[in-house]
Amino acid sequence: MTLTAKVLPDAFFVPSGVSKDGFERVTATENTVSLWAPTMQHGAPPSALLVRALERVDAREDTRISRVAVDILGPIPVADIEIRAWTERPGGNVELVVAELWAEGPSGSARAVARGSAWRMRTVPTEDVAHVGDPTMKQVGAGTDYTFGGTWSSGYLDAVEFKILTGLGAEGPGQIWARPKPVLVQGESMTPLERLFSIADIANGIGAKLPIDEWTFLNTDLTVHVFRVPQGEWVGVSAETSTGPDGIAMCAGTLSDEVGPIGRIAQTVLVRRRN
């Protein structure tokens, strides 16, 4: 008997038209599935979808996003998603833009399941004073091909290529290089920030010190500061989680491209012992 390899969708989301209120709609594919539940999306694809909306709303060529704060308002279903975005605070040098993802809730009514806000700043030349304050990761070529399996298996993790630099749970920051195999939205090319955010949310998993067979550690948010626009396909994550005595943890780390560090990430993490 010949086994046929499973063909995965070529995108995290597929366009599905416009809502009756005129908002864009997409459908999440199995590439978005979280390791915590088969009906729940991993945080990375919806974060990238929010960034896509934040970059597009009232777009200006002389600005770029410098900080994104994402709040996950509940389980994000692997289902139809509605995208809403607006400018909260316009400005010449600094402006605040906001986006939300809406989905049908358990009662059948629509609700916001994730919200992202971003500071967009007007860009000016500062190459002569550029400075990097974080250490540089080892290059992609120093990593070892890695496939997540067992308890770690999920649609999202299967849709990402990994090259690991440190063992999971090892002392110090966990470090890995990753790049998505699918595009974010079918038929589109990914922007540098969309690509970054399609990976960034893995930080709390890469930085975890707790065995996943005994503990769950879900992040409720992520905040990313980007001081340089990323280049290339690979995203480097160096992160470590600090766990408090009362079930609350914080993951913090550095994000990089193959040139060097590009920003930092922080996440609040809910820690619970498995029953």
Side-chain angles (χ1 to χ4, degrees), residues 132-178:
V132 178
D134 292 305
T136 300
M137 288 177 59
K138 293 181 179 178
Q139 289 295 305
V140 176
T144 302
D145 291 344
Y146 192 83
T147 301
F148 287 89
T151 310
W152 284 97
S153 183
S154 74
Y156 170 75
L157 293 177
D158 290 345
V160 177
E161 182 179 358
F162 294 99
K163 288 188 179 292
I164 197 165
L165 294 174
T166 63
L168 294 179
E171 185 176 352
Q175 295 192 334
I176 202 167
W177 288 97

Side-chain angles (χ1 to χ4, degrees), residues 4-222:
T4 303
K6 184 178 181 180
V7 178
L8 292 173
D10 63 355
F12 289 114
F13 300 97
V14 176
S16 55
V18 178
S19 73
K20 63 181 180 180
D21 297 318
F23 297 111
E24 180 186 13
R25 294 180 66 87
V26 296
T27 301
T29 71
E30 61 190 283
N31 289 328
T32 67
V33 175
S34 166
L35 60 85
W36 304 118
T39 57
M40 182 193 308
Q41 289 189 50
H42 188 281
S47 296
L49 195 63
L50 285 168
V51 166
R52 174 178 174 270
L54 292 168
E55 286 191 298
R56 293 184 175 199
V57 62
D58 299 329
R60 290 169 44 191
E61 291 186 0
D62 63 339
T63 66
R64 76 162 177 87
I65 286 174
S66 61
R67 186 231 64 184
V68 176
V70 172
D71 289 305
I72 300 171
L73 305 178
I76 304 174
V78 182
D80 290 339
I81 300 293
E82 184 175 287
I83 306 166
R84 306 182 182 187
W86 63 93
T87 298
E88 183 76 13
R89 185 269 197 194
N93 285 310
V94 179
E95 56 189 9
L96 182 68
V97 288
V98 178
E100 290 181 343
L101 304 182
W102 283 60
E104 186 175 294
S107 65
S109 59
R111 62 188 178 92
V113 293
R115 178 182 299 116
S117 64
W119 286 113
R120 286 198 314 213
M121 297 184 176
R122 187 169 67 88
T123 56
V124 298
T126 52
E127 293 91 343
D128 57 325
V129 293
H131 169 73
V132 178
D134 292 305
T136 300
M137 288 177 59
K138 293 181 179 178
Q139 289 295 305
V140 176
T144 302
D145 291 344
Y146 192 83
T147 301
F148 287 89
T151 310
W152 284 97
S153 183
S154 74
Y156 170 75
L157 293 177
D158 290 345
V160 177
E161 182 179 358
F162 294 99
K163 288 188 179 292
I164 197 165
L165 294 174
T166 63
L168 294 179
E171 185 176 352
Q175 295 192 334
I176 202 167
W177 288 97
R179 63 178 176 184
K181 300 174 187 176
V183 296
L184 181 60
V185 176
Q186 191 174 61
E188 298 180 5
S189 297
M190 298 172 77
T191 70
L193 282 187
E194 288 173 9
R195 184 177 297 277
L196 176 68
F197 277 82
S198 73
I199 297 297
D201 189 74
I202 69 172
N204 70 303
I206 300 307
K209 302 303 180 187
L210 299 171
I212 195 172
D213 292 330
E214 301 175 24
W215 298 87
T216 62
F217 32 89
L218 290 79
N219 64 296
T220 59
D221 56 39
L222 66 152

